[in-house]
Amino acid sequence: MRTCSAFPLIACFLILSASAARAQEPSSESASEKKVVDETPDAASAEALRLVIEERSATMRAALEHNARVFDQILLLSTEATIRQQKFAAAAGITGGMVMLGLAAWRLIENDPQSAYSRGLGVMFMTLGMADLTTGVYAATRVSHEKRRLERWERARENGVTPVELAHFEGELQSSSETRNGERLLLRWNGLTHAIAGGLILAFTPIPDGSSRTDRVAGYIVGGLFFGVGMGTFAASFRPTPSEKAWSEYNKRKMSAPGHEFSWRISPSFSRRGGALSFGATF
């Protein structure tokens, strides 16, 4: 996340004479009066600078408060959506693992003599079932990064968030969005390869002449599961994750803080000796 800072700068001073001709000033004019008159342009310039700085500070405070409110809403919605997805993934992993382990038991524990094909299916079911079950348990027990980030943000809000803290959380949200995008692309191609593998199993299952009816049924079940889950995962991977949606939504709704923007103000002043026009700018 890039942060910008503006430095006030008095760009120039333009002294304008208010009278075309002046009479000779009395010789008795005091030195103190001359000093006050001579310093009138400097005082006007300082006033112009003060007004520019105050305007910039007010804009920064308004932008900070607005962006913090937007961050409140976006982080809460993103965290809730992530937790829902995590619960769904946990349920799917545990259910799929139990189904695979059941199929493994069906192929490995049977009364009839087992073929090499049947044993191979049983071992594959056992491996996939344990992997899915482990993944489901992990998803059900882990505390997501989004939840921990929301807790830290709420503590920062209670203590009064600063521009530096807000920039830190913005960078964290952007990094999370990019990470989730990479995971989604990996999941997409992983799902596609599973679907292709399932299609190949469905195509080759009827070919062996020596396979039993049970072996063919098991092959169709495996192929159907791989193809269905793979295609479902491939299609779901085109949907942006909550972190990606949150970062995109925040960029649309946030207010830009004053940084390299150019702003200026003119402040006129007058005295008995003439007039002054002060020009103050920030960029």
Side-chain angles (χ1 to χ4, degrees):
M1 181 67 194
R2 185 186 66 181
T3 58
C4 300
S5 61
F7 298 92
L9 177 64
I10 298 300
C12 62
F13 302 100
L14 181 61
I15 309 301
L16 301 179
S17 177
S19 58
R22 279 189 302 215
Q24 181 68 26
E25 291 292 328
S27 59
S28 60
E29 186 177 21
S30 63
S32 60
E33 184 179 359
K34 290 182 179 180
K35 182 179 180 181
V36 171
V37 173
D38 292 340
E39 288 183 354
T40 300
D42 292 338
S45 302
E47 177 66 15
L49 174 60
R50 185 185 65 82
L51 293 175
V52 171
I53 293 176
E54 287 182 354
E55 182 180 2
R56 174 179 172 273
S57 299
T59 304
M60 289 185 64
R61 288 193 298 268
L64 176 62
E65 184 59 30
H66 172 80
N67 293 342
R69 288 196 301 267
V70 173
F71 222 79
D72 286 337
Q73 302 171 7
I74 287 178
L75 280 190
L76 180 61
L77 294 176
S78 173
T79 302
E80 290 176 348
T82 301
I83 291 176
R84 285 195 300 269
Q85 288 188 357
Q86 184 176 331
K87 290 180 179 179
F88 175 79
I94 293 174
T95 302
M98 297 301 294
V99 170
M100 286 293 183
L101 291 177
L103 291 174
W106 171 49
R107 300 310 296 150
L108 294 176
I109 306 173
E110 57 182 354
N111 295 326
D112 298 334
Q114 303 172 9
S115 63
Y117 179 73
S118 179
R119 277 186 169 278
L121 287 177
V123 173
M124 184 180 68
F125 285 148
M126 179 68 70
T127 303
L128 294 175
M130 290 302 299
D132 289 346
L133 187 61
T134 302
T135 302
V137 172
Y138 171 74
T141 56
R142 73 180 289 263
V143 179
S144 65
H145 165 71
E146 287 78 5
K147 186 176 181 179
R148 294 194 299 268
R149 182 179 60 203
L150 179 61
E151 293 174 351
R152 288 187 285 107
W153 170 254
E154 290 175 345
R155 288 195 299 268
R157 286 287 279 164
E158 291 176 357
N159 299 328
V161 65
T162 64
V164 174
E165 289 176 321
L166 178 60
H168 171 80
F169 280 101
E170 286 177 347
E172 215 176 312
L173 181 60
Q174 181 182 11
S175 176
S176 177
S177 172
E178 295 174 353
T179 300
R180 297 301 185 191
N181 178 262
E183 293 175 352
R184 186 163 57 88
L185 293 177
L186 177 62
L187 193 65
R188 176 182 304 173
W189 298 114
N190 188 35
L192 183 61
T193 55
H194 275 69
I196 294 174
L200 292 175
I201 293 175
L202 291 174
F204 293 150
T205 294
I207 294 178
D209 295 332
S211 60
S212 64
R213 182 176 179 275
T214 302
D215 292 339
R216 293 183 182 227
V217 171
Y220 287 130
I221 292 175
V222 173
L225 286 174
F226 269 62
F227 184 80
V229 173
M231 288 304 299
T233 303
F234 180 76
S237 67
F238 287 92
R239 182 180 180 184
T241 62
S243 293
E244 293 176 272
K245 292 180 180 178
W247 176 240
S248 177
E249 182 68 16
Y250 179 72
N251 282 320
K252 293 178 182 178
R253 297 174 56 186
K254 75 174 183 178
M255 178 187 298
S256 298
H260 294 295
E261 301 88 350
F262 176 79
S263 61
W264 60 277
R265 182 183 294 274
I266 295 178
S267 177
S269 62
F270 303 94
S271 69
R272 290 184 305 169
R273 283 181 171 272
L277 187 63
S278 301
F279 175 77
T282 59
F283 52 87

